[in-house]
Amino acid sequence: MTSADPPGTGSPPQIVKSVDEIRQRVRAARASGRRVGVVPTMGALHAGHLSLVAASVAECDATVVTIFVNPTQFGPSEDFTKYPRTLEADLAALAAYPVDLVFMPPADEMYRPGHTTYVEVEGLTRCWEGASRPTHFRGVTTIVCKLFHAVEPDVAYFGQKDYQQSRVVRRMTADLDLPVEIRVCPIVREPDGLALSSRNVYLTADDRRRALVLSRSLQRAAHLVDEGERDATVVLQAMQEVLGEEPAVDLDYAVVADADTLEPVQRLEGPSVALVAARVGATRLIDNCLLHP
Ligand code: AMP
């Protein structure tokens, strides 16, 4: 990790493809006293991903970005093969930051022939995204655990955009005593409220307009709570009313839940979160908002 170039000068970051090499290079950096941050991504980078990179750069001495479209977190009928892959643009975007290494393993480097071992968090993974995508979190926790073992970072950066994922990753890290600090960064949105997502490129112009109903419903929830509403049923009804303004948006779930357990709440007394998921055209979108009663 002794890049000859000064950081963030526009030169593309160095690419590492093997587990052995990334482990060796990060170990050397940590041995020389550097705090190493990792930002796990599936590529198709946007300003949301880059906010995690910026956080790592600000808080750590060295930053590793991983780009890996993880097959095990996609269901059989999901978009693994057509998931956007924009490697050149990703590397160009990362060149604006002092990223030390990009870890970009081929699929068979992360999943060796005959791979049959998975990491599974129980409980938290059964509801919401887990109910709609039964094998999704098992894929996420397996790859995050493997990336933690390959990179051995001090800190790992995730987005609140995937709120349930952030809770599941925290649970796994605590349960397996993984020596990695988990940081969760705020959702980056378009000026009109749409949460940035690599999947937004699938949206037609009409979908794009309709998709705003998700963030609008969350804004409504946050506004009610700010004004003093504590009855979660009232907040949820208001969200559903807003979501109903776009009948073509096919709601998967909307819920007001405890921010830790993700169980639905009746009253907003402690830290809570409003979560929504919906299909807009052919694209499934998720969004959320923390509620601070
Ligand atoms: P992905 O490439 O979709 O797996 O996302 C990689 C990381 O970026 C995850 O921790 C996401 O939660 C995070 N992320 C995705 N979209 C956003 C966003 N709009 N704002 C902040 N973080 C995000």
Side-chain angles (χ1 to χ4, degrees):
M1 279 204 193
T2 48
S3 167
D5 293 312
T9 52
S11 46
Q14 291 179 46
I15 293 173
V16 173
K17 296 198 169 176
S18 86
V19 168
D20 282 350
E21 186 184 349
I22 193 77
R23 185 176 287 144
Q24 238 176 46
R25 295 187 65 169
V26 174
R27 278 187 183 172
R30 293 183 71 195
S32 68
R34 298 173 82 190
R35 181 174 159 85
V36 177
V38 70
V39 180
T41 81
M42 297 204 297
L45 301 183
H46 51 62
H49 299 111
L50 298 175
S51 74
L52 308 182
V53 173
S56 174
V57 163
E59 295 170 4
C60 300
D61 305 307
T63 293
V64 178
V65 175
T66 74
I67 298 180
F68 182 68
V69 185
N70 174 36
T72 63
Q73 71 189 70
F74 290 79
S77 59
E78 292 181 5
D79 55 346
F80 173 66
T81 48
K82 76 168 188 145
Y83 193 82
R85 288 161 173 88
T86 59
L87 187 55
E88 258 179 54
D90 292 350
L91 295 176
L94 291 175
Y97 296 81
V99 168
D100 295 71
L101 298 171
V102 175
F103 180 47
M104 243 174 44
D108 60 0
E109 180 70 6
M110 296 314 289
Y111 296 105
R112 312 245 179 231
H115 171 100
T116 54
T117 304
Y118 294 90
V119 176
E120 191 151 9
V121 170
E122 294 186 351
L124 268 182
T125 56
R126 300 290 176 250
C127 57
W128 318 127
E129 284 308 282
S132 298
R133 307 178 69 191
T135 56
H136 171 66
F137 284 121
R138 179 181 91 148
V140 169
T141 42
T142 299
I143 195 64
V144 170
C145 188
K146 288 169 72 66
L147 288 171
F148 283 2
H149 279 299
V151 178
E152 299 182 338
D154 295 281
V155 196
Y157 292 83
F158 293 88
Q160 186 203 311
K161 163 72 170 40
D162 298 275
Y163 186 79
Q164 188 174 5
Q165 167 176 288
S166 74
R167 300 307 308 168
V168 169
V169 167
R170 276 193 194 283
R171 181 82 264 155
M172 172 192 76
T173 307
D175 289 355
L176 297 182
D177 306 310
L178 302 177
V180 180
E181 184 187 326
I182 305 298
R183 298 266 289 108
V184 179
C185 300
I187 302 175
V188 177
R189 297 178 179 280
E190 301 278 10
D192 61 7
L194 183 70
L196 295 191
S197 162
S198 303
R199 289 190 167 97
N200 289 351
V201 297
Y202 300 150
L203 299 171
T204 65
D206 277 346
D207 293 341
R208 170 75 184 67
R209 184 182 45 72
R210 292 186 184 117
L212 292 175
V213 80
L214 272 75
S215 53
R216 274 211 314 274
S217 74
L218 296 167
Q219 281 162 13
R220 179 96 183 95
H223 180 70
L224 282 174
V225 175
D226 282 349
E227 289 202 320
E229 184 57 64
R230 295 293 175 263
D231 184 338
T233 317
V234 171
V235 174
L236 185 56
Q237 265 169 8
M239 286 174 64
Q240 281 162 340
E241 231 167 75
V242 175
L243 289 159
E245 290 166 7
E246 288 293 354
V249 168
D250 181 14
L251 186 65
D252 183 351
Y253 59 80
V255 64
V256 177
D258 181 284
D260 290 326
T261 65
L262 301 186
E263 299 279 349
V265 292
Q266 299 299 315
R267 294 209 45 89
L268 287 139
E269 270 147 11
S272 309
V273 63
L275 303 163
V276 293
R279 197 164 283 283
V280 185
T283 311
R284 191 169 177 283
L285 298 178
I286 58 172
D287 200 351
N288 69 84
C289 173
L290 290 168
L291 301 173
H292 305 285

